[in-house]
Amino acid sequence: KDEVRAVYWKDGRIQSEGYWRICALLRDIRANLMTVMDPLILDILRGIYGFYQAWQHPYPVVVTSGYRTHATNAALSKEGAAKNSMHLYGKAVDLYIPGIPARDISALGAYLKLGGVGFYPSKGFTHLDTGKRRVWKGK
């Protein structure tokens, strides 16, 4: 239920205060630990949000998983978490936007061509990461 509005990039440089606030928001909530998040994943999130903002969609991007510790990732393996997940490296997020189908968010993520995009229709979320470009459909 945390929310952050922060500037993480300005004039070609990371803005420390905003960047760290966002990293804290994207922490592993089970372990209450954070890491350095890849600025590109923040750019991807901002692009997704900006697209829907331009269409005056009134709801925020809801990130359900950002950084994960190895222990948290192992606990989530029963739910399908990859053993060497990009979440472990601060390079991935799982998200949804109220009122927007996950397939639409996934299509936008794939259009951006900035990393991996996983679409999970039965769970109603999209996985985005900054790894190799690839697209998959989960359960």
Side-chain angles (χ1 to χ4, degrees), residues 20 28 56 69 79 88 112:
W20 288 116
D28 180 326
Q56 300 181 351
T69 61
E79 297 177 29
L88 296 167
L112 294 173

Side-chain angles (χ1 to χ4, degrees), residues 20-138:
W20 288 116
R21 287 180 61 211
I22 295 168
C23 289
L25 178 74
L26 298 176
R27 73 193 178 279
D28 180 326
I29 59 171
R30 291 178 184 213
N32 199 30
L33 293 172
M34 61 185 262
T35 194
V36 173
M37 295 299 293
D38 183 346
L40 183 55
I41 197 68
L42 305 184
D43 292 345
I44 293 169
L45 283 171
R46 180 61 183 110
I48 298 287
Y49 177 71
F51 177 84
Y52 288 107
Q53 184 181 37
W55 288 97
Q56 300 181 351
H57 187 73
Y59 300 107
V61 172
V62 179
V63 175
T64 58
S65 184
Y67 168 64
R68 292 183 196 154
T69 61
H70 287 279
T72 295
N73 201 63
L76 293 173
S77 67
K78 300 173 201 96
E79 297 177 29
K83 190 173 188 175
N84 195 30
S85 171
M86 297 296 282
H87 289 277
L88 296 167
Y89 310 103
K91 295 176 178 270
V93 294
D94 295 339
L95 65 104
Y96 71 93
I97 301 173
I100 304 292
R103 74 175 175 279
D104 293 353
I105 298 167
S106 300
L108 181 55
Y111 174 79
L112 294 173
K113 299 180 181 177
L114 295 171
V117 179
F119 164 47
Y120 294 83
S122 68
K123 297 178 183 177
F125 76 89
T126 299
H127 167 96
L128 301 170
D129 68 51
T130 62
K132 293 185 288 184
R133 279 197 296 170
R134 64 216 186 284
V135 178
W136 68 93
K137 183 177 178 182

